[in-house]
Each structure stands twice: as C-alpha cells, then as structure tokens.
Amino acid sequence: ELGLSPEEWGGDTVFVNVSAKQNEGIDELLEMILLQAEVMELQANPDKLAVGHVVEARLDPGRGAVATVLVQEGTLRAGDAVICGQHYGKVRAMTNDHGDRIDAATPSIPVEIQGLSGVPMAGDDMMAVSHEKIAKQVSFHRAQKQRVRELAQSSRLTLEKYYEEIQAAPSKDLNLVIRGDVQGSVEALTEAIQKIESTEVKVSVVHSATGAI
C-alpha cells in the first residue's frame, strides 16, 4: 500500500528484522544504514553552524527544558546560541546517547541539550546562530506568528452561529488541561482527544504542556 517493496521481492527498500530486547539485528541494521549512506552519497559539512531537528523534548525538574536534537549539518558546540522552534537559548551542556558530557556534536550525532527558554515541539528545526540576541529576535518573531495563527483559527461567534447553537440540542463543555512528561506524549494525547466525535459533549483543550501538574 505504501510502495515499500523489499529487495527480496525485487524492490529497492531495505528490510531488517530488529529486536532491541533480544539484541538481534542491530549490527545488520547499522551495516545497512552505512551501505545506503555510501550508495546515496550522503554527505554533510561539519565546518559551519549546526542545523538539525528536535527528536524529543521534556521539562526536567532539575535541569529545566531539555531537548534531544539530531545534528544534520555543521557542528554544535557547548555555548552556541540556538533556536529550536519558538524557543531559544544558549547550550549550557550537552550529553550523548551514553549520558556522557561532550563539548561538540558533528553531523549524525544525537545529543541532549540544556539551556532553552522553553520546551520545543518534537520535529521543530534546530539552528545555531552567531549571537544569542539574534536567536531571541527570531524566537520572538516566530511566537508572534504562531499567536496570530491561533487567533485566526479560533472561530468568531456570529448571530447566525449563536442561533444555530440555541436550536441545536444542548451539549456539555468539557475543558481539559493536558500535562505530560515529554512533548511527544502531549501531542499524541491532544490529537487523540480532539479526534473523538460526540454530539453530547464538546471537548476543548484549553492548555497543553510538558512538566509536573
């Protein structure tokens, strides 16, 4: 259905059976990734300001906003000013996938960074800039644009709509506040709730964020 045909069937999609629990197929998976990268001639320039994406983010009680980012271009260094979606900051500390503190991350290296002004969304772009002032300006501009989009999406109540609501069967409003440990869980839960259709209850997510209740 998705056009993914394995090589065994004459297709060009690599299939690898992997089990993290049983520790099976990991070496084969890494070998296939390296082979594909070589065939596709994937390259990245490490001698520039870092560019990448946020994989996951959360609010840590002791460290504040923490984001796992994957560097795709350039080199991310401790002390760099960065923009992650609507948030900005200065990289106070970086840890690799083994939990070791490192000073620089080159392309293809996933790292956990601290020092952001807030918790970014999973999938947000991450970009290092020359000065923190630039990062703050870009962050403020993006937040303003997002606010305008949210206001535009909220439907205005006209007399016609008000009359229609009066004529319709009365429904109860259920206002929800959603909090989660990581941004991905919050997004998934919010989307799942908003997809629930009901004629008796109107569900409104008034606030969603990561962190403690």
Side-chain angles (χ1 to χ4, degrees):
E1 283 182 24
L2 301 175
L4 300 173
S5 181
E7 293 175 322
E8 289 82 359
W9 297 355
D12 56 2
T13 304
V14 178
F15 276 63
V16 181
N17 292 319
V18 174
S19 171
K21 274 189 174 182
Q22 304 297 328
N23 197 22
E24 294 176 354
I26 307 297
D27 292 336
E28 188 184 352
L29 173 65
L30 295 173
E31 188 181 329
M32 288 297 106
I33 290 172
L34 290 173
L35 181 63
Q36 283 293 99
E38 193 175 328
V39 170
M40 298 171 68
E41 297 182 349
L42 299 179
Q43 295 180 345
N45 178 14
D47 302 321
K48 56 185 279 191
L49 291 170
V51 176
H53 282 89
V54 177
V55 179
E56 189 55 279
R58 70 183 192 278
L59 193 62
D60 190 279
R63 298 182 294 168
V66 177
T68 302
V69 299
L70 180 62
V71 180
Q72 293 177 300
E73 289 276 348
T75 300
L76 183 65
R77 294 180 173 84
D80 282 356
V82 294
I83 306 161
C84 288
Q86 296 181 43
H87 302 286
Y88 74 99
K90 205 167 186 177
V91 180
R92 286 204 315 264
M94 286 195 300
T95 52
N96 61 16
D97 54 327
H98 297 291
D100 300 325
R101 195 155 177 166
I102 58 175
D103 295 324
T106 51
S108 83
I109 302 295
V111 286
E112 203 173 63
I113 62 173
Q114 303 171 37
L116 298 174
S117 60
V119 181
M121 305 285 281
D124 278 351
D125 59 316
M126 184 277 300
M127 183 170 57
V129 292
S130 55
H131 298 288
E132 191 175 2
K133 187 177 180 181
I134 297 172
K136 188 174 183 179
Q137 289 173 344
V138 174
S139 171
F140 178 76
H141 178 66
R142 287 182 177 181
Q144 289 290 93
K145 286 180 71 175
Q146 179 63 25
R147 178 68 178 154
V148 170
R149 280 197 295 268
E150 288 175 356
L151 288 173
Q153 285 176 358
S154 59
S155 57
R156 296 178 64 184
L157 185 66
T158 62
L159 285 173
E160 289 81 4
K161 284 185 180 179
Y162 184 62
Y163 181 73
E164 286 174 10
E165 288 186 6
I166 292 175
Q167 296 300 315
S171 64
K172 295 181 180 178
D173 288 337
L174 178 63
N175 295 322
L176 298 177
V177 173
I178 297 177
R179 303 285 283 192
D181 55 348
V182 292
Q183 189 63 44
S185 300
V186 173
E187 286 180 46
L189 192 57
T190 303
E191 287 181 15
I193 289 172
Q194 289 175 340
K195 286 178 182 176
I196 298 173
E197 294 182 2
S198 173
T199 55
E200 298 179 0
V201 178
K202 181 182 177 184
V203 180
S204 300
V205 179
V206 294
H207 175 73
S208 63
T210 55
I213 297 172

